[in-house]
Amino acid sequence: KEYISKDDFQVTINGIIAGQNGQYPAAEVLAVQRMAEAPVAIPVVSRFLNGMGIYNIVVEDYSMPQSAGGINRQDFTINAISDEPLELQIQ
C-alpha cells in the first residue's frame, strides 16, 4: 500500500456472521479473520464501492466484539482504505 498517495477512501464494513441451528459460525469467523489479517489488497465486488472507483481495499484493523446472547452469531467491524493496483512498466 502506498500511503502517501492522495484520494484514498476510508471504508468501514459492519456485519454479522450468522450460524445455523444455534451453532457458532467458527469456520466462517476464522475465514473473515484470515482475510482481515492478510498483508495484501483485497478485491472488492460492490456496485456501490465500484461506482466510486474502489476496486481494492487494504485492511487497517478489525474487531469482533462479543455480544450478549449472541450464541449463533458474530458481529464484526473492518476498517480499511481504498487501494489502487500498482502497474509497473518494464522497458
Side-chain angles (χ1 to χ4, degrees):
K1 174 67 189 155
E2 182 181 345
Y3 286 100
I4 59 173
S5 68
K6 61 180 185 175
D7 299 326
D8 286 341
F9 288 92
Q10 295 288 328
V11 179
T12 300
I13 303 165
N14 294 307
I16 298 171
I17 304 168
Q20 295 185 5
N21 302 322
Q23 298 295 315
Y24 183 75
E28 292 84 357
V29 168
L30 182 60
V32 170
Q33 286 176 320
R34 286 183 176 161
M35 181 218 38
E37 293 174 357
V40 296
I42 300 169
V44 174
V45 179
S46 164
R47 184 176 295 177
F48 178 74
L49 294 175
N50 295 161
M52 293 190 297
I54 301 172
Y55 294 94
N56 296 289
I57 60 171
V58 173
V59 176
E60 293 189 308
D61 62 58
Y62 73 98
S63 65
M64 293 193 166
Q66 186 176 22
S67 57
I71 190 168
N72 67 331
R73 61 181 256 176
Q74 177 62 61
D75 299 341
F76 67 92
T77 299
I78 296 174
N79 296 305
I81 53 176
S82 62
D83 187 41
E84 293 188 26
L86 179 62
E87 295 184 23
L88 300 176
Q89 293 183 358
I90 300 175
Q91 298 180 2

